[in-house]
Amino acid sequence: MTARTAPGRGTARTGTNPPRNPIARRRRLGTGLAAAAVALTLGLAACSPSNGSSSGGVSAFTVARTGDIDKLDPQLATAFQTQQTLGLVYSSLVKTGNDGSIQPDLATKWTLAPDNLTLTLTLRSGVTWQDGSPFTSADVKASLERILDQATGAVARSNLTVISGVDTPDAATVVLHLSKPAAALLYSLATVNASIVSAKDIAAGTVGKTLHGTGPFAWKQWDQGQQVVLTSNRTYYGGAPAIGTLTFRVIPDEASILSGMKAGAFQIGQISDPAIAQQAGSGGGFDLVKQPALSYHTLMLNGRRGPLQNQQVRQAIACAVDRDQVLKTAAYGDGKVTGPITSPAYQYPPTDGLPCTPGDLDRAKELLSSAGYAKGFTLNTIVETGEYATAGAEAQNLQAQLAKIGVNLQLRQLPTSPYVQAWLAADYDAAVALNGGSYDPYLMYGRYFATGGSLSKPGGIESPKLADLLAQGNATNDEVRRKAVYGDLQKELTAQAPWVWMFRSDDYYLVKSGVNGFAPRPDELLTSLATVK
């Protein structure tokens, strides 16, 4: 969960009969609501003077998606839609390009001292908050100290604890003192969770209540469960976006998003169901755009509870799951079986470290028997129903596969907000999850398995060996050394099997003809909306 952690809905093609389970039933019951939402949207579109691009800019622009945001504080955001939205309102010190390179944002340049223990950043001049007040180094200092304050509960805290002090020699300069070298620090500072918020709002205790950012869009309103509305930030340092009003509309059913695109109601439809993507194709007034994602689908195992405390039990579950079968059933094969690390520059054999070949049921049963659980057991398994379409199908397929070794997944479906709450509290035995990836492996797993990781609860285990490997990888800028260490990290993660890593999927966007400048990203952020013409 960049923590993106966000499972959702979807129907598996397992035969000619529809699936008989609460997840599928819930989806069918929601169809009427989805149809009503689309009907309302079509009516609004018909009344709108302009709902698309034109030579004079874009007066109104609508993005349709199935899930809503769940909070208004970027430093606490874990759900995908929340990060996508708040990432347009707030800025960070630096940002990542589509190719994963570190680029200027609120900081225009940075210098790392020869001992790798001091990072000096020069801030962009002339930036203002959306309430009109000037952005200064005091905002950076207050923001970083807020993240580092354990009481805040900030998602990025464990990635930034290497910062031992923050100095502000003047309004345009920030000096970060580091307790040890940290190769992933700039990537940590580039995330939505490391957004810079106003020192004035921090002092007033209004972060997450009153939204003043420095990003390309300004906050307007949130009609919970229905829509989020942003407006062009006319004082944005990169130039005011051409989109005057940006609306994220919540449409509970992806088939209804497709219908809305065909009717011209939306400029972009976000799709996660491969079946809907296949139906969509391209033409008819919009194009289907596919983007391989850094995020990964996994069955997270809570190694602090019951039989899962035993490594052999976790390995047995990992051995029993045929990842390719899950990929083909839930995503029609549209993606790639993956190991723990999805960072493009760090690729390793996906299941190296497991004492078996995945899908080997006999070996899985041997491991369970050796651990004293030959008769199996039941796992309380949470499945989220709001952010992506394949979670239900993944859960059903995993349930069927693991039943063959006597492990019963008792599925508990939850909407996005309750799911995230249960996930953060590790209130489950297992969780079907979609977690955010990163260009840097430390950012993927430091928050879960490093010493003091901010997401150590859902991480499921505490492992000195994993923590040590993460520390080694983050302590050097030597890429040869980092690749070797992270190769060992992947193998150790697979061997300890805190989770079952399954596959990396593709994201789908339905983009209306005439929309220029939209570019999907592997990290699923929607920053290019600021440059749409």
Side-chain angles (χ1 to χ4, degrees):
M1 273 191 180
T2 348
R4 280 174 97 218
T5 255
R9 67 188 74 183
T11 303
R13 283 189 180 176
T14 55
T16 56
N17 296 320
R20 297 180 181 179
N21 57 68
I23 295 173
R25 182 173 181 271
R26 169 71 172 268
R27 191 174 305 111
R28 290 195 293 272
L29 288 175
T31 303
L33 292 174
V38 169
L40 175 60
T41 299
L42 295 179
L44 290 173
C47 296
S48 173
S50 172
N51 69 330
S53 58
S54 67
S55 59
V58 186
S59 61
F61 195 100
T62 300
V63 177
R65 59 191 184 190
T66 57
D68 195 9
I69 65 174
D70 65 337
K71 59 188 64 178
L72 303 180
D73 186 336
Q75 295 177 355
L76 305 183
T78 56
F80 290 163
Q81 276 98 348
T82 304
Q83 291 203 1
Q84 288 179 333
T85 305
L86 298 185
L88 295 171
V89 176
Y90 292 93
S91 303
S92 300
L93 286 168
V94 293
K95 60 186 178 182
T96 54
N98 282 14
D99 60 354
S101 61
I102 296 294
Q103 300 178 355
D105 197 357
L106 290 176
T108 57
K109 61 181 181 179
W110 47 92
T111 304
L112 186 63
D115 62 1
N116 294 326
L117 295 178
T118 305
L119 180 66
T120 302
L121 302 105
T122 301
L123 303 183
R124 190 178 298 275
S125 61
V127 176
T128 60
W129 294 99
Q130 289 157 3
D131 66 353
S133 57
F135 160 74
T136 72
S137 59
D139 298 305
V140 177
K141 179 178 175 65
S143 295
L144 294 178
E145 290 179 345
R146 180 177 188 262
I147 291 172
L148 291 169
D149 184 351
Q150 196 163 2
T152 303
V155 176
R157 179 181 178 275
S158 57
N159 291 335
L160 297 177
T161 51
V162 67
I163 299 174
S164 58
V166 182
D167 287 338
T168 54
D170 55 57
T173 307
V174 174
V175 180
L176 305 183
H177 300 285
L178 312 181
S179 59
K180 56 186 176 181
L185 180 59
L186 286 172
Y187 281 101
S188 300
L189 293 172
T191 65
V192 174
N193 294 136
S195 293
I196 303 303
V197 298
S198 165
K200 183 170 62 175
D201 289 345
I202 294 173
T206 57
V207 177
K209 300 172 184 176
T210 301
L211 279 74
H212 296 136
T214 57
F217 291 93
W219 184 262
K220 184 175 182 181
Q221 70 186 70
W222 177 24
D223 301 316
Q224 196 164 2
Q226 299 178 46
Q227 64 180 7
V228 173
V229 183
L230 309 179
T231 60
S232 177
N233 178 9
R234 298 301 173 187
T235 63
Y236 179 53
Y237 76 77
I243 296 174
T245 300
L246 174 61
T247 301
F248 290 97
R249 187 72 49 77
V250 179
I251 305 296
D253 183 84
E254 290 193 358
S256 298
I257 292 178
L258 176 57
S259 297
M261 289 299 301
K262 290 179 177 178
F266 316 126
Q267 279 62 56
I268 292 177
Q270 288 187 260
I271 299 294
S272 60
D273 190 337
I276 300 297
Q278 287 182 5
Q279 294 174 32
S282 291
F286 62 87
D287 294 318
L288 171 66
V289 179
K290 184 191 297 187
Q291 171 64 56
L294 290 170
S295 57
Y296 55 93
H297 298 249
T298 182
L299 178 66
M300 301 178 71
L301 304 175
N302 190 344
R304 297 186 179 92
R305 294 171 65 159
L308 296 176
Q309 296 175 77
N310 189 307
Q311 182 176 340
Q312 283 189 314
V313 169
R314 300 193 303 270
Q315 288 180 334
I317 293 172
C319 286
V321 174
D322 182 336
R323 281 87 164 146
D324 192 57
Q325 184 186 132
V326 181
L327 174 60
K328 289 178 179 177
T329 300
Y332 302 113
D334 209 355
K336 183 178 180 181
V337 171
T338 187
I341 295 175
T342 60
S343 308
Y346 301 89
Q347 294 294 292
Y348 311 99
T351 57
D352 191 15
L354 266 184
C356 63
T357 299
D360 187 340
L361 299 181
D362 291 336
R363 180 59 175 145
K365 290 176 181 177
E366 288 177 8
L367 289 165
L368 281 183
S369 180
S370 178
Y373 293 96
K375 294 183 179 180
F377 48 85
T378 296
L379 295 178
N380 172 21
T381 306
I382 59 173
V383 185
E384 196 265 357
T385 60
E387 285 198 78
Y388 69 101
T390 61
E394 291 172 39
Q396 294 166 42
N397 185 265
L398 289 166
Q399 187 181 53
Q401 290 200 50
L402 292 175
K404 295 176 182 178
I405 63 169
V407 175
N408 172 42
L409 298 189
Q410 188 174 56
L411 305 181
R412 178 162 57 109
Q413 61 171 352
L414 296 169
T416 300
S417 185
Y419 175 93
V420 172
Q421 292 174 19
W423 181 82
L424 288 170
D427 182 20
Y428 56 82
D429 298 320
V432 178
L434 174 60
N435 290 354
S438 172
Y439 291 103
D440 191 286
Y442 184 83
L443 263 66
M444 292 184 69
Y445 295 110
R447 56 192 175 183
Y448 294 111
F449 304 116
T451 302
S454 54
L455 295 177
S456 61
K457 271 193 176 181
I461 63 170
E462 292 181 14
S463 166
K465 189 166 185 179
L466 290 176
D468 180 61
L469 287 169
L470 284 161
Q472 287 183 46
N474 196 35
T476 178
N477 288 309
D478 183 332
E479 275 305 307
V480 174
R481 172 63 178 155
R482 295 190 91 214
K483 286 183 179 180
V485 170
Y486 287 138
D488 291 340
L489 173 67
Q490 166 133 325
K491 187 180 293 187
E492 187 64 22
L493 281 167
T494 307
Q496 293 200 30
W499 312 338
V500 180
W501 285 270
M502 296 184 292
F503 64 96
R504 175 207 54 72
S505 61
D506 296 326
D507 296 321
Y508 310 99
Y509 302 86
L510 306 179
V511 183
K512 186 175 181 178
S513 299
V515 171
N516 299 312
F518 175 72
R521 295 168 52 102
D523 60 10
E524 297 164 76
L525 293 180
L526 300 177
T527 51
S528 67
L529 290 175
T531 58
V532 163
K533 303 296 184 184

